[in-house]
Amino acid sequence: MRVSGEKLDDQQIIEKIMRSLSARFDYNVVAIEERNDIFTLTFEGLMSSLCSHEQQMNKRINSTKLEQALQSKASIGGHGG
């Protein structure tokens, strides 16, 4: 946006990014807004928070997939005897 000549401060950029996030980040956006961090948050701070949230979500997804695979394996192995 800045490259195209648009003058934006960090707060405006942060607000635009937060509005454009998918529903997957809704809780994170609400938490930031509730703490009123939007006025003191830096771009780097926002990106760090979003990356951390995404890593946590990916861990949960991978953990759930592993649990499902183990349950499937256990149920298949239990019926073979």
Side-chain angles (χ1 to χ4, degrees):
M1 290 182 280
R2 287 181 179 160
V3 172
S4 67
E6 193 172 346
K7 302 238 183 212
L8 297 171
D9 60 25
D10 280 351
Q11 184 180 355
Q12 290 172 308
I13 293 171
I14 288 169
E15 289 172 351
K16 285 182 179 279
I17 291 170
M18 288 175 57
R19 281 194 305 265
S20 70
L21 293 170
S22 68
R24 182 177 180 182
F25 292 94
D26 282 351
Y27 293 115
N28 200 280
V29 170
V30 168
I32 291 168
E33 289 174 345
E34 288 291 318
R35 290 188 316 249
N36 290 323
D37 280 354
I38 197 163
F39 301 109
T40 58
L41 188 63
T42 63
F43 175 77
E44 291 80 14
L46 174 65
M47 296 310 293
S48 174
S49 177
L50 295 176
C51 286
S52 175
H53 178 73
E54 187 170 31
Q55 288 173 350
Q56 187 66 27
M57 294 297 292
N58 287 339
K59 275 192 220 178
R60 286 185 185 157
I61 290 169
N62 291 337
S63 176
T64 301
K65 287 180 181 179
L66 178 61
E67 287 175 18
Q68 290 172 348
L70 291 174
Q71 287 175 354
S72 294
K73 185 174 180 179
S75 66
I76 290 171
H79 292 292

